[in-house]
Amino acid sequence: MRKGAFGIAFAYLLISLLWIMFSDRLLFYFEGILSPNQYLWLSLGKGCLFVVVTAIALYALIRSEDQRLKQSEKQYRSMYESNPNPMWIYEPGTLRFISVNDAAIAVYGYSAEEFRHRTILDIRPLEDRENVISSSERVNSKLNDSGTWRHIKKDGQLIYVNITSHKIWFNKKPHIMVMIRDMTERVAFERALEKVNQELLEEKHKLSETQLLSRVAGWEFYPRENKLIWSDEVYRIAGLKRDGREAFDIYVQHIFPEDRPLMINALHDLISTGKQLDITHRITALDGTTRYIRQLARVESSGEQELKIAGSLQDITELKQLEMERNRYQYSFEHTLNSITDCFFELDHQMKITRINDIFREMVKTDRSRIIGASVFEFFPKAENKFYHVYQKALEERIIVRHEDYSVVLQRWLRMAAYPTDEGVAVYFADITEDRLKDERLKEAVERYELVAQATRDVVYDLNIVENKLVYNTSLTHLVQIPLDEISYELEWWRSLIHPDDMEEVVSSQEKISRAGLTNWECEYRLNCGKGEYKYVMDQGYFIYNEQKQPIRLIGAVRDIDALKRSTQENKRLARIIKQVNNMVLITDDLRRVQWVNNAFVELTGYAMEEVVNKMPGDFLTDPDNPVIQTLIRKQQAREAFGIDTIIYTKNRTPVWVSAQLTPAYDENNAFQGYIIVCQDITYRKEKEEEINRQNRLLREVAWISSHEIRRPVATMLGLVNLLDMTEDESERKEIFSKLRECAAEMDSMVHEIHRRIEAEKVMQIARDL
């Protein structure tokens, strides 16, 4: 409108100026020609003509501008009315609807007349109306984005909308135009997304807690950059600490040195061949404890992408400890079975014998190999077996069954107890023929054994630090062979049992833990178990603190580790002996690769352990074409124990004769681990054997010459002597003497040859000795 008014005014001004400039100038030409009256009428006509022309021009311009404004208003109203988004115009003061478009009528359900009788507050929740009033007062002529609001439709449905508004002039008054965008679905989506994100956070938190409970954590490794990315759980599970170094370097340094090659080789195989990594190794945690870690990993991306390895680790320390404890208990169980006076055998579900003790073997007088796997009815025929129903009942009803009866097969009175197991049934029986009056005592002994076998051997205690009172469980009498009336329930009494050399370490370690406010404490020390006998025990405790962070209780368990400790010391002693023996010792894995060598091997061959680890002995000790290698491989693949004499070469390729004894090694689960190879240097012996062989060959040659070559001229000489006695002819006698001289010369030559060979052998022996 402003541009149109300016255009009309400018056109009028331009025409007027042009008319004044040129029309007055034209009148000057008629000033002398026309009379004053004519000149006046001409001037009057000029003015009238200007008015008519300008009036026509103004009419045309105003009409054109008016049509343009009408067209613009029509387009604007069409955009307003046909806009797919709800729009309306309301009065600022009263907030009353002035105009609404068709989309607003369709969305909200009100007619245009109903809208005009309402204000914008009528479509808002009551709690939002004060904010609506405040927001409407802040609207200006610019485009205002008021954000997301709640609106109520005619049917009461609540919807979420985004509002944009600005001030306009409508009906010559200031009004506010509003455009609405329905955001209900978006708000619902955002809320659903927020709920999903919250659930994901909760799941992540649960996953983190689950990982900590199951002691499982994930990691990623990028070999090209040697970059290892850990989850936070790895640091907590593995007991490691962030110190600014690369995670890979941190972890490798904490792996036990003897386990590092296993981990690194497995990782190398995974990277080079894609073979899935699944190994278990030991690490030293930040607190100095040893932890067993199982690693699982696989290649997730390769080819054109950067190589990425995804893996997880699990702390299986407790599982390993349980496994070792189980093996110890298994050994203890087998030892106990062979120590008890009862006969014992165990049956599977098919009534086949799976385990026996020595007393049972002696009773049936049959080798263990023939008993295991055989049916029980081969030794106790079913028709004569009065105890069959005992096995069957224990097996089917899964209950303990006891029974006393006379055995026709053994011709003895027996007391039998059958215990259901996961594999079948375990049976104990004892001969009660001699004195059935001892039944009660035997029954009590069996019950005591059952309780002892099923109960823990650990001494559990509860120390009240404030009152200095100590409470033990009944296992104390198993560990400490002290009469009950001499047992005291005070800390001083318990500490009096600790070896004097270990007392300071026990007390100082407890004080160190309590001062630091830590909870877990453990210590190994020697304990007087009675009669002056000291045993190694593992004491593990848990400190409980009051609100002032002062220790008030210590709950713990004492475990007898004497056998394990002494076994460890014995193993160390044996390891030192192996290192110091003169014979070479090599230990290989199940792939025939060297894992360890002793000092004698290093000294004799010149190879350091780092040079031979993970190499096969045949690759550096013998020639590749040596036929002995194939024999070694074939026997090792068959896992046979065998011995062999062969030549090996030192690092500087000096040949050495050795006598090698190869013995297969198995773990506690009877799984093949590799070979233990013990080699004895027999070079001197071989040289002596060769010398003897050469002497024997010389003797055989001398004997041959003596028995065959010398015999020939001797026989000839004997024949010639006989001829000499028989002939009288002088010429023949001369000829015979001539032949005798030839035979004597031949014999002399042979004797010289024998002497030459003996002398040559002596010279060669002297050269060999030098």
Side-chain angles (χ1 to χ4, degrees), residues 566-582:
R566 299 188 187 279
S567 175
T568 302
Q569 293 173 350
E570 178 65 16
N571 289 338
K572 290 181 178 178
R573 187 180 69 83
L574 291 175
R576 288 194 298 269
I577 292 174
I578 292 174
K579 287 183 178 180
Q580 295 172 1
V581 295
N582 294 327

Side-chain angles (χ1 to χ4, degrees), residues 124 128 131 145-151 159-164 181-184 186-188 190-191:
R124 306 294 184 108
D128 293 352
N131 294 332
D145 187 351
S146 302
T148 301
W149 295 78
R150 296 182 297 172
H151 281 187
I159 62 174
Y160 290 86
V161 297
N162 179 266
I163 297 177
T164 55
R181 287 184 298 166
D182 189 350
M183 305 292 289
T184 305
R186 180 175 178 179
V187 170
E190 289 177 351
R191 289 186 175 179

Side-chain angles (χ1 to χ4, degrees), residues 303-321:
E304 297 181 358
Q305 300 179 355
E306 182 180 4
L307 183 63
K308 172 186 174 183
I309 296 174
S312 64
L313 63 81
Q314 181 180 12
D315 183 357
I316 60 172
T317 304
E318 294 181 0
L319 183 62
K320 272 290 184 182
Q321 291 174 345

